[in-house]
Amino acid sequence: MGQKILKTSGNMTMVIDNLEKRELVVREKDPADRRRISVKLTEKGLDLIQALFPAHAAVAAETFSVLESNELATLGKLLKKIGKANAAPPETDKRRTS
């Protein structure tokens, strides 16, 4: 999750702690694997997302409305490629460093 929002694992702990304090998420331990913890939205968190998302989606739609459909398709492919490269483990990371 941290990679998706460009946060370190240490910073993610603080982010999730703050979301928990605001009662927007809860942590749930995996009974099959004690090392694994899931973070889930609470009803309050879901309500907040549902309240904020329509305005966010409208801004995104307006921002990208200047692109033609073929440009949007190209942008989608490029962003997917970047996302996959950033999700790769460091030893198989294919990003260029120069």
Side-chain angles (χ1 to χ4, degrees), residues 27-95:
R27 287 179 170 104
E28 293 182 358
K29 293 182 180 179
D30 184 337
D33 185 348
R34 297 183 327 177
R35 299 168 295 175
R36 186 180 181 122
I37 297 174
S38 296
V39 178
K40 297 188 178 185
L41 282 174
T42 61
E43 284 295 319
K44 185 176 176 180
L46 184 60
D47 290 345
L48 180 62
I49 293 294
Q50 289 174 337
L52 296 177
F53 190 77
H56 170 73
V59 168
E62 184 176 335
T63 299
F64 293 107
S65 69
V66 300
L67 299 176
E68 303 287 332
S69 61
N70 62 323
E71 293 171 323
L72 284 169
T74 299
L75 177 61
K77 289 177 187 175
L78 293 171
L79 291 172
K80 191 176 217 177
K81 185 175 183 177
I82 291 168
K84 285 181 180 180
N86 285 309
E91 55 274 350
T92 61
D93 195 342
K94 306 235 190 237
R95 289 179 286 174

